[in-house]
Amino acid sequence: MRITVLTLFPAMFPAILNDSIIKRAKENNLVTFEIINFRDFSSNKHKMVDDTPYGGGAGMVLAVEPIYKALTSIEGYESALKILLTPQGKTYHQSVAKELISEEHIILICGHYEGFDDRVREFIDIEVSIGDYVLTGGEIAALTIIDSVVRLIPGALGSKESYENDSFYEDTLDYPQYTKPREFRGLKVPDVLLSGNHQEIAKWREEMKVKRTLERRPDLHKKSN
Ligand code: ADE
């Protein structure tokens, strides 16, 4: 999979992309990244990418031209899935992450400041929001998408780190997990997990998934039934 990011803040990306599972996926050639600063595509001598809004009002608006130029400079951009990160987009969900892994190339466009010139919307395929709150820019949203998609690429997780039990994988929350010690400040690990009876353990885990989902996210439970 190829992932291209258009951003004004490329320095926000290396820490996440060069660590842990994403780093390993890159080393194993499961994913490649290109981080493009669209300020480099400004035709303005001061390298400005924003301007005051037509009609007046506070703040600055990202201009369409540098974004368009940066986008069309990307090899094969026509066939890539072009995603605009904005609080006005469709809310991101695990099901979207699952759909995105079948894409060969995605382009993530991060905004900043008060917003984009609306004509940017003519050049993209989908708009995604990671939730009903406003971030300073699309970078954290882009990293959220990258992280959640890369870990689903076949081979990205080791056999020990399977995603099939993840929360949301089948519209349920995950079951509770425990590790050593057996008892911590009087808090005991459930007996069934120490029983060695794999059938009983699997049954308990399924029951706990349903219980947790019903208690914490009844909306999810309804969706999967
Ligand atoms: N940019 C600013 N806020 C955002 C959000 N909630 N999701 C995606 N992009 C954003």
Side-chain angles (χ1 to χ4, degrees):
M1 179 175 218
R2 180 176 163 208
I3 301 179
T4 308
V5 181
L6 300 190
T7 173
L8 293 174
F9 297 92
M12 287 189 178
F13 289 83
I16 307 283
L17 303 188
N18 293 326
D19 219 330
S20 184
I21 287 162
I22 303 182
K23 177 185 177 199
R24 199 173 62 199
K26 245 170 37 165
E27 287 169 355
N28 293 335
N29 298 319
L30 298 175
V31 61
T32 58
F33 293 102
E34 299 156 87
I35 310 295
I36 297 175
N37 188 342
F38 58 87
R39 193 177 296 283
D40 296 340
F41 293 82
S42 166
S43 39
N44 179 293
K45 73 170 183 251
H46 302 294
K47 293 271 168 211
M48 276 176 68
V49 287
D50 55 356
D51 216 325
T52 51
Y54 276 124
M60 299 292 267
V61 175
L62 282 175
V64 60
E65 193 194 23
I67 298 177
Y68 177 78
K69 281 190 178 164
L71 193 60
T72 52
S73 78
I74 301 165
E75 201 196 311
Y77 82 95
E78 299 94 332
S79 54
L81 184 76
K82 295 170 272 296
I83 305 173
L84 189 69
L85 284 325
T86 150
Q88 299 183 16
K90 175 182 164 183
T91 308
Y92 194 61
H93 186 267
Q94 185 69 14
S95 59
V96 183
K98 282 196 232 170
E99 279 167 28
L100 291 180
I101 44 169
S102 54
E103 296 292 331
E104 256 173 55
H105 183 194
I106 61 176
I107 301 177
L108 299 162
I109 305 163
C110 308
H112 237 85
Y113 312 118
E114 292 299 307
F116 307 94
D117 183 314
D118 216 67
R119 290 168 290 187
V120 167
R121 296 192 153 90
E122 297 298 316
F123 307 108
I124 55 111
D125 299 305
I126 53 168
E127 297 185 34
V128 173
S129 162
I130 60 163
D132 290 342
Y133 39 81
V134 180
L135 300 164
T136 319
E139 286 74 16
I140 291 172
L143 284 165
T144 301
I145 293 177
I146 290 170
D147 189 278
S148 58
V149 170
V150 169
R151 63 192 294 286
L152 295 181
I153 299 174
L157 294 184
S159 54
K160 279 198 201 147
E161 311 151 324
S162 156
Y163 51 75
E164 274 141 36
N165 290 324
D166 282 349
S167 287
F168 307 114
Y169 191 76
E170 282 161 336
D171 283 324
T172 55
L173 299 182
D174 198 3
Y175 51 77
Q177 298 267 34
Y178 300 86
T179 185
K180 293 180 192 70
R182 282 180 176 220
E183 189 172 333
F184 178 72
R185 299 176 75 99
L187 301 167
K188 293 188 178 137
V189 173
D191 285 339
V192 60
L193 299 178
L194 309 172
S195 68
N197 184 334
H198 295 295
Q199 233 178 324
E200 280 302 309
I201 293 171
K203 188 168 152 248
W204 180 84
R205 285 179 166 165
E206 275 312 308
E207 285 166 7
M208 290 307 286
K209 273 191 188 183
V210 175
K211 184 166 178 281
R212 284 229 148 156
T213 311
L214 268 171
E215 279 169 3
R216 297 175 185 215
R217 294 292 305 272
D219 55 314
L220 280 182
H221 186 75
K222 258 191 228 137
K223 210 164 116 187
S224 65
N225 283 278

